[in-house]
Amino acid sequence: MDALVMCGGTGTRLDRGEKPLLPIDGRPMIDRVIDALAAARIDTVYAGVSPNAPRTTARIEGMLDVSTIETPGSGYVPDLERALDRVVPPVMTVAADLPLLDGQTIDAVLDRYSTGSLTVCVPVERKRALGMSVDTTVVGTESLAPTGVNVVGDTDTEEYMIRDDDRLAVNVNRPRDAWIAQTLLEEANDGA
């Protein structure tokens, strides 16, 4: 399966410049996400870029194994729709602000996927326990927060995968989120 990393947003909530380039534990988030995809069973990596993030675009264009797809920079949904027009489904979509993501987590999503679309969520309680911001919830039998990892299929069926996992719960949208991601990675490095 191919993957599409969305990394052309303005990052206004974070207010620290181009969000994908924000270093977490010394490395830009976009590098961490692309490394996680490279460590997984992903065939080709595409990056949805926009005029809102020219330095991110330049960095990605310097990566040998990533192809860029220009989007208008009109917002996440319109940019995602434009990028999806350029790839063949099913395709995994990943937000560039998931610095704890790893290949094992991506492979678990691939293992779970069968047909249609798959939205990966974490319990809202997990995000709150970590102190992360929670912007959107999907309410089924419990309150869930989308993670920024999905598989977009070629049919209208949709399934949810619920993972109580810090690697998916840490999505950097605000300064406190960046601090939490930094702290968790430092703690993981100290324990290694």
Side-chain angles (χ1 to χ4, degrees), residues 36-177:
L37 292 166
R41 296 186 320 267
I42 294 294
D43 299 318
T44 304
V45 177
Y46 298 93
V49 298
S50 82
N52 295 325
R55 292 183 19 236
T56 300
T57 301
R59 183 175 193 86
I60 291 169
E61 288 175 342
M63 297 178 178
L64 297 176
D65 297 330
V66 181
S67 299
T68 58
I69 297 174
E70 280 289 327
T71 67
S74 304
Y76 188 84
V77 172
D79 286 3
L80 178 62
E81 289 171 350
R82 172 72 63 88
L84 287 172
D85 286 342
R86 302 272 313 279
V87 296
V88 177
V91 63
M92 177 176 281
T93 62
V94 181
D97 57 4
L98 298 168
L100 274 59
L101 194 62
D102 63 12
Q104 178 183 5
T105 304
I106 292 166
D107 283 341
V109 174
L110 294 174
D111 290 342
R112 170 67 170 73
Y113 177 74
S114 58
T115 62
S117 294
L118 178 67
T119 301
V120 182
C121 299
V122 295
V124 167
E125 295 79 28
R126 164 62 56 204
K127 290 183 76 77
R128 289 192 177 128
L130 290 168
M132 297 297 298
S133 62
V134 180
D135 293 322
T136 313
T137 59
V138 176
V139 178
T141 58
E142 61 183 308
S143 294
L144 303 172
T147 63
V149 176
N150 304 287
V151 178
V152 178
D154 53 3
T155 67
D156 290 338
T157 61
E158 185 173 359
E159 296 183 57
Y160 292 90
M161 176 180 184
I162 302 169
R163 295 274 310 234
D164 194 358
D165 187 334
D166 291 356
R167 294 169 293 186
L168 290 164
V170 176
N171 161 279
V172 177
N173 287 311
R174 292 182 171 76
R176 178 169 170 75
D177 299 338

